[in-house]
């Protein structure tokens, strides 16, 4: 029952976001170009016309209700759903790699930070986590690109033509989300330290590794799973940048393409595709919903909600 109620609540929230996004994308955004002076300097002006805004809203409404589609793209006869079928599966593979890698690597990194926080290896623990989080993510991605090209010239990373590209890009996308989970795991373990059951376990002579992985980490999973949704948002923000910089033709790359402006000698030609942006956003919302459902099902299967209720 809780699963159904939680799912309906998420669907209602995302439907509201979907409607708001339509109202935003339907806003007229075509400027008027005029030229002044002997140099024919282009001057861009914008006038809001309510009738154009209402017309755009009607186009969205008719496309969804009557034609059963989010809309058309810049290509004749190509619907948004056709582009999603082509581009989203490529991004989905990257997202899955980044999602599971960031959780596993982040938890292990958080445990490492906790266990060696008082030793000389702390610079590899909290020190390295803090250092990498303080560096802009685009700089890290560009550095990895440069190292990959310099050390392995035969590595083809600027496309989606090779089978390993989604794994390579997925790991890159997971770097900052993994550090985020590492910080959450470390804070949860520190907060758990000092509990009575920890002192009892240590007094019995149990190894620190067993105490951390068998007892403390299980009690910290509720806190970690509560951050799955921001983790997925973190992954999607890194995905947008990674796909653009690596020219990996996924759904985020296609969304960038739908925002593109082509300039010419006579001025600028907008290639704005609001329907495609809406379709890409729906894919992102579905991905976040998937992460929320994974976290919810995991909590139920591990009995974490029951254990909290009993305390």
């Amino acid at each position: 029952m809780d699963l159904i109620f939680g799912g309906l609540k998420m669907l209602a929230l995302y439907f509201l976001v979907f409607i708001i996004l339509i109202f935003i994308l339907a806003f007229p955004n075509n400027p008027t170009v005029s030229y002044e002076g002997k140099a024919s300097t282009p001057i861009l002006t914008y006038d809001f016309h309510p009738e154009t805004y209402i017309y755009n809203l009607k186009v969205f409404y008719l496309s969804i209700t009557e034609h059963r589609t989010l809309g058309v793209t810049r290509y004749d006869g190509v619907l948004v759903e056709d582009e999603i079928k082509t581009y989203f599966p490529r991004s989905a593979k990257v997202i899955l790699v980044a999602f599971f890698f960031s959780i596993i690597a982040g938890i292990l990194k958080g445990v490492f930070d906790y266990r060696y926080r008082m030793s000389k290896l702390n610079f590899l623990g909290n020190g390295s986590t803090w250092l990498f989080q303080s560096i802009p993510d685009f700089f890290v991605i560009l550095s990895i690109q440069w190292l990959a090209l310099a050390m392995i010239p035969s590595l083809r990373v600027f496309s989606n033509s090779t089978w390993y590209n989604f794994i390579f890009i997925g790991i890159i996308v997971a770097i900052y989300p993994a550090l985020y989970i590492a910080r959450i795991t470390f804070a949860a373990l520190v907060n758990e330290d000092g509990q009575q059951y920890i002192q009892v376990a240590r007094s019995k002579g149990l190894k620190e590794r067993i105490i951390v992985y068998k007892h403390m980490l299980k009690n910290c999973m509720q806190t970690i799973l509560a951050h799955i949704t921001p983790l997925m948002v973190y992954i999607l923000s890194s995905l947008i940048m990674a796909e653009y910089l690596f020219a990996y033709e996924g759904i985020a790359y296609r969304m960038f393409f739908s925002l593109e402006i082509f300039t010419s000698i006579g001025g600028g030609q907008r290639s704005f595709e609001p329907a495609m942006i809406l379709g890409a956003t729906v894919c992102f919302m579905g991905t976040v919903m998937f992460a929320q459902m994974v976290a919810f099902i995991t909590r139920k299967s591990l009995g974490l909600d029951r254990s909290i209720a009993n305390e």
Side-chain angles (χ1 to χ4, degrees):
M1 190 66 181
D2 291 339
L3 180 61
I4 297 176
F5 178 76
L8 292 176
K9 186 177 180 180
M10 284 190 295
L11 286 176
L13 176 62
Y14 287 129
F15 180 75
L16 178 61
V17 174
F18 179 79
I19 297 300
I20 295 175
L21 186 62
I22 289 178
F23 277 90
I24 295 175
L25 293 174
F27 206 88
N29 51 50
N30 294 320
T32 302
V33 183
S34 60
Y35 303 92
E36 294 183 358
K38 295 182 179 180
S40 297
T41 303
I43 304 298
L44 298 179
T45 57
Y46 176 80
D47 296 319
F48 175 74
H49 300 285
E51 61 275 9
T52 304
Y53 184 52
I54 295 175
Y55 172 78
N56 292 339
L57 289 174
K58 288 182 178 179
V59 169
F60 271 117
Y61 177 77
L62 294 176
S63 295
I64 296 173
T65 58
E66 294 187 5
H67 302 290
R68 297 296 187 270
T69 177
L70 294 177
V72 297
T73 63
R74 70 180 70 185
Y75 307 112
D76 294 335
V78 179
L79 300 177
V80 171
E81 290 77 11
D82 298 329
E83 294 289 81
I84 291 176
K85 291 178 182 177
T86 301
Y87 289 92
F88 182 66
R90 301 169 185 168
S91 294
K93 294 187 293 185
V94 175
I95 292 172
L96 287 175
V97 171
F99 181 68
F100 291 106
F101 182 85
S102 59
I103 292 177
I104 297 173
I107 291 176
L108 293 177
K109 182 65 167 63
V111 171
F112 180 88
D113 294 353
Y114 168 76
R115 292 188 62 188
Y116 295 96
R117 67 191 187 281
M118 299 297 183
S119 68
K120 295 181 180 179
L121 294 177
N122 187 45
F123 74 97
L124 293 176
N126 277 323
S128 62
T129 302
W130 176 85
L131 177 63
F132 278 102
Q133 282 192 312
S134 63
I135 301 175
D137 50 356
F138 75 89
F139 179 78
V140 174
I141 294 176
L142 291 176
S143 300
I144 294 175
Q145 281 185 341
W146 181 82
L147 289 174
L149 292 175
M151 300 178 63
I152 313 176
S154 61
L155 187 65
R156 300 176 61 184
V157 295
F158 292 98
S159 68
N160 54 300
S161 58
T162 54
W163 66 268
Y164 55 80
N165 276 52
F166 76 94
I167 300 176
F168 181 78
I169 297 177
I171 294 176
I172 292 176
V173 169
I175 292 177
Y176 278 84
L179 294 176
Y180 172 75
I181 291 297
R183 297 293 293 179
I184 297 300
T185 304
F186 173 80
L189 289 172
V190 170
N191 185 59
E192 197 72 16
D193 197 5
Q195 297 292 329
Q196 186 174 3
Y197 76 93
I198 301 295
Q199 299 175 2
V200 172
R202 287 172 177 167
S203 65
K204 290 182 178 180
L206 292 179
K207 295 182 179 180
E208 189 70 16
R209 178 172 56 85
I210 297 178
I211 295 175
V212 172
Y213 285 101
K214 188 175 181 179
H215 300 285
M216 297 180 66
L217 194 57
K218 181 180 180 180
N219 292 334
C220 294
M221 287 304 298
Q222 176 71 20
T223 302
I224 297 172
L225 291 174
H227 291 81
I228 290 297
T229 300
L231 169 70
M232 182 57 75
V233 175
Y234 217 151
I235 289 175
L236 293 177
S237 64
S238 299
L239 176 72
I240 294 174
M241 185 177 303
E243 285 193 359
Y244 180 76
L245 293 177
F246 281 95
Y248 184 83
E249 297 182 0
I251 192 66
Y253 181 88
R254 182 62 180 87
M255 188 179 70
F256 261 111
F257 192 57
S258 64
L259 290 167
E260 194 170 4
I261 299 177
F262 296 98
T263 57
S264 60
I265 297 177
Q269 179 184 0
R270 291 298 301 269
S271 297
F272 186 68
E273 298 175 278
M276 189 64 234
I277 297 173
L278 180 63
T281 306
V282 169
C283 293
F284 294 149
M285 289 193 298
T287 304
V288 175
M289 184 183 297
F290 164 77
Q292 289 178 318
M293 294 304 296
V294 169
F296 185 83
I297 294 173
T298 304
R299 287 199 302 267
K300 289 296 182 180
S301 61
L302 294 179
L304 298 178
D305 292 339
R306 291 193 301 268
S307 62
I308 290 179
N310 293 333
E311 289 181 356

